[in-house]
């Protein structure tokens, strides 16, 4: 007759993980030791004289079960979490008791970063908000997890759907400037993320912050598709940012590099016009050959005002040369 093993309710989550991960592994020690038994995961406590099993100790990788007839040590009972059923169980536990499962979630995500993507896709909004609050308000969060959180979890979460509320939530994490920059670079390279996220984000920044945002583009090596996808947010940041020689060189370089891909793009025309207006008002330097090629190639309605300013700059340059 099969034995019925009873486990403490506090161990329910760990036992369920063990059971859910052994079905495809015939060599698993847990399956060999208990495969013939029946399990009662949430059985209420029984009087001591009838209780045949007792949990003696446990940690992140070992569960030790003792009984009158059998003794078994199960090593590495928690294997990599990949199946949908287990993901649902983890999500359910995080929904109901995040505070006690928070450290366990971090451990599992460090072992398997792809778990962060699955959690971002399955957790409800309230739980995501709580997790963000835990991470953003912590003073000693694991640095490796923090990088993964910004690089993997948050971009995947935004893909589910973006709203102003989402932006307010994510801005709370901007205090981690290095990790937040990693997050922004990740967003800039992903055309599957709605471009209105960065557009709204840029509008909330002051001039100095907008300049810092633009400088993140340096050496980012955007594809033509990625540049066009982010073009309006680049324009929004540039028109109100604190201008500098670095910013001017960066924008001129971007305009020249992607000129063939934006011949009729109005946002490109807006950026070009704003650049030329800045050169004119600040009497700044510019590459005459580059700008002339850009304007000659361009075909949007902004071509005419750009050409007008360019000719004014040439006349000004000639007057001061003579």
């Amino acid at each position: 007759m099969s034995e019925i093993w009873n486990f403490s309710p506090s161990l329910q989550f760990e036992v369920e993980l063990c059971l859910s991960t052994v079905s495809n592994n015939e060599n698993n020690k847990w399956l060999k030791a208990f495969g013939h038994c029946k399990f009662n995961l949430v059985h209420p406590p029984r009087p001591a004289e009838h209780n045949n099993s007792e949990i003696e100790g446990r940690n992140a990788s070992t569960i030790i079960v003792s009984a009158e007839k059998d003794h078994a040590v199960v090593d590495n009972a928690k294997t990599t979490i990949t199946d949908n059923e287990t993901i649902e169980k983890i999500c359910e536990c995080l929904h109901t008791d995040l505070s006690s499962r928070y450290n366990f979630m971090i451990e599992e995500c460090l072992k398997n970063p792809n778990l962060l993507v699955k959690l971002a896709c399955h957790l409800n909004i309230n739980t995501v908000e709580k997790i963000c609050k835990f991470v953003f308000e912590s003073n000693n969060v694991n640095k490796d997890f923090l990088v993964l959180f910004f690089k993997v979890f948050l971009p995947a979460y935004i893909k589910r759907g973006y709203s102003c509320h989402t932006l307010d939530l994510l801005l709370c994490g901007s205090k981690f400037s290095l990790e937040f920059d990693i997050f922004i670079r990740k967003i800039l390279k992903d055309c599957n993320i709605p471009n209105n996220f960065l557009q709204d984000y840029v509008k909330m920044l002051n001039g100095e912050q907008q300049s810092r945002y633009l400088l993140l583009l340096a050496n980012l090596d955007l594809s033509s598709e990625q540049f066009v996808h982010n073009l309006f947010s680049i324009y929004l940041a540039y028109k109100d940012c604190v201008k500098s020689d670095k910013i001017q060189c960066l924008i001129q370089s971007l305009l020249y590099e992607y000129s063939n891909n934006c011949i009729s793009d109005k946002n490109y025309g807006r950026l070009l016009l704003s650049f030329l207006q800045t050169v004119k008002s600040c009497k700044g330097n510019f590459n005459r050959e580059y700008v002339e090629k850009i304007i000659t190639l361009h075909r949007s309605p902004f071509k005419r005002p750009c050409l007008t300013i360019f000719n004014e700059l040439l006349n000004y340059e000639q007057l001061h040369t003579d």
Side-chain angles (χ1 to χ4, degrees), residues 22-132:
V22 300
S23 58
N24 296 322
N25 185 358
E26 296 180 355
N27 296 320
N28 188 276
K29 294 180 180 180
W30 180 273
L31 186 62
K32 287 181 178 180
F34 300 106
H36 64 286
C37 301
K38 296 180 180 179
F39 294 89
N40 187 349
L41 299 178
V42 291
H43 196 282
R46 296 187 297 175
E49 62 270 22
H50 298 296
N51 193 350
N52 292 327
S53 64
E54 177 184 2
I55 303 300
E56 292 184 336
R58 64 189 176 95
N59 56 36
S61 60
T62 305
I63 298 178
I64 302 177
V65 181
S66 66
E68 292 180 358
K69 296 182 179 180
D70 298 286
H71 294 272
V73 177
V74 183
D75 296 317
N76 299 320
K78 291 179 183 176
T79 58
T80 302
I81 300 172
T82 56
D83 63 286
N84 291 333
E85 182 179 355
T86 306
I87 293 297
E88 291 177 0
K89 290 178 181 178
I90 293 177
C91 289
E92 182 179 353
C93 288
L94 293 176
H95 292 329
T96 57
D97 190 11
L98 175 61
S99 59
S100 65
R101 303 300 180 189
Y102 177 69
N103 289 331
F104 171 74
M105 178 195 72
I106 292 178
E107 292 173 5
E108 291 298 327
C109 290
L110 287 174
K111 290 190 292 185
N112 179 18
N114 287 331
L115 177 59
L116 282 166
V117 177
K118 296 180 181 294
L119 292 177
C121 295
H122 290 84
L123 288 171
N124 64 40
I125 294 177
N126 289 335
T127 304
V128 171
E129 290 180 356
K130 291 178 182 178
I131 291 176
C132 288

Side-chain angles (χ1 to χ4, degrees), residues 157-210:
Y157 175 63
I158 294 175
K159 288 181 183 180
R160 282 178 57 179
Y162 164 68
S163 67
C164 292
H165 178 69
T166 307
L167 179 60
D168 292 338
L169 176 67
L170 298 179
L171 284 175
C172 295
S174 60
K175 72 173 187 177
F176 300 102
S177 57
L178 179 61
E179 290 78 14
F180 197 79
D181 286 351
I182 293 174
F183 164 66
I184 294 297
R185 288 192 181 98
K186 181 77 173 180
I187 300 297
L188 285 165
K189 298 276 286 185
D190 194 336
C191 293
N192 292 319
I193 292 178
N195 54 17
N196 59 334
F197 167 74
L198 285 179
Q199 292 168 17
D200 291 341
Y201 167 67
V202 164
K203 292 175 184 177
M204 299 182 69
L205 304 178
N206 60 37
E208 291 184 356
Q209 292 170 331
Q210 289 173 337

